[in-house]
Amino acid sequence: MPQKSLSIAVIGAGIGGLATAALLLRQGFAVTVYEQAPAFARVGSGIQMAPNAVKVLRALGVEAQLRETAFRSPLAVSRVWDTGAVTSELKLGDEVEARFGAPYFFLHRADLHATIASVVPRDVLRLGCRLTELEQEAKGVTLAFADGSRVHADAVIAADGVHSTVREIVLGPERAHFTGKVAYRATFPAALLGGAKITPVRTKWWGPDRHMVVYYVTAARDEIYFVTSQPEQAEWMTPESWSAKGDLAELRASFTGFHPEVQSLLQACPEVHKWALFERDPLPNWGEGRVVLLGDACHPMTPYMAQGAASALEDAMVLSRCMQGIDTGGVAAAFKRYEATRKPRTSRIQLQSSANTWLRGETDPAWVYGYDACIASLAD
Ligand SMILES: Cc1cc2nc3c(=O)[nH]c(=O)nc-3n(C[C@H](O)[C@H](O)[C@H](O)COP(=O)(O)OP(=O)(O)OC[C@H]3O[C@@H](n4cnc5c(N)ncnc54)[C@H](O)[C@@H]3O)c2cc1C
């Protein structure tokens, strides 16, 4: 059993931070989660949870709930942008579950977040707490927040996302490269499609220099989502913001000539958000001493494989396994073991995602979907 006194500060109550908190609380650690947002907002976005992610969600105890609410597409289909010709078809229904030991879910990002939040006691969450400074001493870490408050913790897990403040403090400023692409995304009631027929499976429409991914985000198929990736000439000024709006007319014009199903979606869509896509060089290390990074904070990736949040969930599981039974003297070694276990896999996923070829043609997804963070071997 860990010492009662081992206190852990998790920075960021996103998907990675909440999952980490839930898993560490079960081991008896004194966990507090600090989140800059004053409340959780329902941002319009879908999210795919592949079997490797669902295995962690199962360990969190939320699989049954998600089976009720999430869309389970029978197939993942790739189609040519104009003719609609099918270039690959992966079975995602019972077949994927039988092969990889867990289902494949499609759902609203906010529903996933709320489901994970439901297993984290409210009293460990500190909302409206933006971390601004952090200082390591021999016996712990002092954290300072924008409101002037300060706390001490034995260990810090930074799940503070792609713009991680902790990463900057501990590892210095990092360079982000604009990929030249932006993503437009929207969720809206399927009823807005009127009579237009949309093939009810997860579909990726592959154009010469742009694409669109489409799927339902509810089991009832009453809400639909699409996300694009497309070139943008100048470096767009509002990078990586979930709330920045996009121009529908511009979006519609940029998909001229695409298949009628794509046109129907774009016509029905009431509003879009826009997100600039950046890439980063792999980090030399994921932390120092009693501070470690997790999720997008240490391995941000393009969304082309739908594996960013899945990787954050895998991180949470592996980190919690590395921390099992440790006391304050074991923190740094546990963090190093977690990094050594996770880095080869997340680097490979980052690289594959960047290429944007995943499932375009016939692909064996076993190395991604077959992974089980709950039992995978840990580095020595
Ligand atoms: C368009 C798009 C589509 C995607 N689709 C998928 C998909 O289908 N499947 C998938 O697995 N992944 C997908 N991803 C990736 C996924 O969204 C991310 O990888 C995932 O959200 C990372 O989780 P996280 O917990 O590391 O960070 P986040 O979810 O970003 O959470 C970070 C949290 O930290 C908080 N925070 C930040 N700074 C501070 C601070 N200083 N103090 C306190 N709190 C702070 C933030 O407010 C936030 O709540 C997609 C990404 C994009 C852009």
Side-chain angles (χ1 to χ4, degrees):
M1 276 297 287
Q3 283 182 1
K4 277 206 169 53
S5 57
L6 189 67
S7 58
I8 301 170
V10 175
I11 312 302
I15 288 162
L18 288 180
T20 304
L23 293 168
L24 292 178
L25 281 163
R26 285 178 202 181
Q27 291 188 35
F29 294 113
V31 181
T32 308
V33 184
Y34 299 93
E35 165 59 47
Q36 65 182 2
F40 297 135
R42 190 174 173 83
V43 178
S45 179
I47 196 155
Q48 308 185 36
M49 288 281 99
N52 54 311
V54 175
K55 287 170 203 165
V56 180
L57 295 168
R58 175 181 294 159
L60 288 169
V62 298
E63 183 188 4
Q65 214 172 319
L66 295 175
R67 276 185 192 268
E68 297 280 307
T69 53
F71 173 54
R72 289 182 64 192
S73 177
L75 296 169
V77 175
S78 282
R79 298 179 69 176
V80 177
W81 64 287
D82 52 353
T83 64
V86 173
T87 58
S88 90
E89 212 174 75
L90 179 71
K91 292 193 168 67
L92 292 186
D94 294 344
E95 291 86 347
V96 88
E97 188 166 355
R99 183 167 178 214
F100 299 119
Y104 200 122
F105 293 138
F106 297 81
L107 67 166
H108 198 292
R109 187 191 174 82
D111 291 338
L112 175 67
H113 188 266
T115 304
I116 300 174
S118 72
V119 294
V120 179
R122 183 62 187 79
D123 63 357
V124 307
L125 292 180
R126 303 278 182 278
L127 298 179
C129 282
R130 184 166 65 83
L131 179 103
T132 51
E133 284 168 48
L134 174 154
E135 204 175 316
Q136 292 208 54
E137 304 111 31
K139 287 200 167 170
V141 188
T142 300
L143 303 115
F145 296 90
D147 63 1
S149 60
R150 295 170 86 81
V151 296
H152 180 273
D154 294 319
V156 175
I157 298 167
D160 52 347
V162 71
H163 301 296
S164 173
T165 301
V166 177
R167 181 183 57 212
E168 287 241 0
I169 295 171
V170 176
L171 303 176
E174 47 99 59
R175 285 173 46 228
H177 317 284
F178 181 52
T179 57
K181 301 272 172 68
V182 293
Y184 285 85
R185 42 170 243 283
T187 51
F188 59 92
L192 292 180
L193 286 161
K197 208 176 151 310
I198 300 294
T199 314
V201 298
R202 172 272 187 209
T203 304
K204 185 162 178 176
W205 297 92
W206 295 83
D209 64 352
R210 62 200 64 206
H211 70 242
M212 177 188 282
V213 179
V214 186
Y215 51 85
Y216 291 105
V217 290
T218 55
R221 300 184 186 182
D222 55 4
E223 197 170 1
I224 199 158
Y225 169 68
F226 70 76
V227 59
T228 73
S229 169
Q230 57 200 88
E232 174 107 345
Q233 293 304 333
E235 187 161 322
W236 187 46
M237 294 310 289
T238 316
E240 296 168 315
S241 154
W242 284 109
S243 54
K245 290 275 168 62
D247 183 323
L248 253 181
E250 270 177 33
L251 172 62
R252 287 174 181 147
S254 67
F255 278 80
T256 304
F258 269 66
H259 191 272
E261 278 199 23
V262 174
Q263 304 304 330
S264 301
L265 276 159
L266 292 174
Q267 285 313 314
C269 168
E271 63 167 15
V272 276
H273 288 85
K274 188 175 175 184
W275 174 287
L277 295 170
F278 280 77
E279 285 188 304
R280 274 115 179 134
D281 294 331
L283 291 175
N285 48 61
W286 286 6
E288 204 178 271
R290 294 167 177 275
V291 180
V292 79
L293 306 173
L294 180 143
D296 275 8
C298 53
H299 47 66
M301 56 183 77
T302 58
Y304 303 147
M305 271 173 88
Q307 280 291 321
S311 296
L313 288 169
E314 290 181 358
D315 286 351
M317 175 52 74
V318 168
L319 178 57
S320 75
R321 290 176 59 208
C322 290
M323 293 183 74
Q324 202 141 25
I326 63 161
D327 59 20
T328 182
V331 171
F335 284 178
K336 281 288 164 217
R337 191 177 195 203
Y338 148 77
E339 178 183 336
T341 306
R342 293 295 298 150
K343 211 186 244 174
R345 177 169 169 84
T346 56
S347 303
R348 187 176 174 197
I349 295 175
Q350 279 177 295
L351 204 67
Q352 171 73 61
S353 189
S354 171
N356 192 19
T357 52
W358 185 247
L359 301 184
R360 181 171 196 159
E362 292 308 323
T363 308
D364 184 356
W367 70 272
V368 181
Y369 302 166
Y371 181 84
D372 187 347
C374 310
I375 54 169
S377 17
L378 303 176
D380 296 330

